[in-house]
Amino acid sequence: MKRVKAACIFQTLIFSQKEELGLSAEEELRANRAEVAHYKETLEANKTKYQITQERERADGSIVIHVRKQYNDKIDPTEYFA
């Protein structure tokens, strides 16, 4: 019988605004930063173990983050967060 000892999710997320909103580059970057902050706060509030391995702002105002996070709360994924 096989059992899952540990598991995590590796994600690449892109935070960007719709072009139809007509935001300036500065406004778009500000909105994207706020959205990233909200995402992180949500992870913290849900007590999800996570690690952002890369976060970068692109020239078009979007923000790309690479995150590895806990799959569920039943398994301890500490080996992924060394």
Side-chain angles (χ1 to χ4, degrees), residues 14 16 29 56-64:
I14 300 174
S16 62
L29 186 57
R56 62 184 155 90
E57 296 175 357
R58 296 181 359 184
D60 65 356
S62 62
I63 299 174
V64 177

Side-chain angles (χ1 to χ4, degrees), residues 15-80:
F15 295 86
S16 62
Q17 303 301 308
K18 295 181 181 178
E19 291 181 18
E20 302 88 57
L21 296 176
L23 300 175
S24 70
E26 185 177 304
E27 291 171 325
E28 188 171 329
L29 186 57
R30 192 175 317 123
N32 292 335
R33 285 178 181 158
E35 193 173 351
V36 169
H38 180 264
Y39 175 74
K40 291 176 184 177
E41 290 168 4
T42 302
L43 290 172
E44 294 288 336
N46 292 334
K47 296 184 168 102
T48 302
K49 292 181 183 177
Y50 72 97
Q51 182 180 52
I52 294 178
T53 57
Q54 185 180 34
E55 182 174 340
R56 62 184 155 90
E57 296 175 357
R58 296 181 359 184
D60 65 356
S62 62
I63 299 174
V64 177
I65 64 171
H66 296 266
V67 63
R68 76 178 72 157
K69 64 182 184 177
Q70 182 178 20
Y71 178 69
N72 61 26
D73 61 354
K74 307 287 187 242
I75 298 168
D76 181 19
T78 53
E79 67 186 69
Y80 294 108

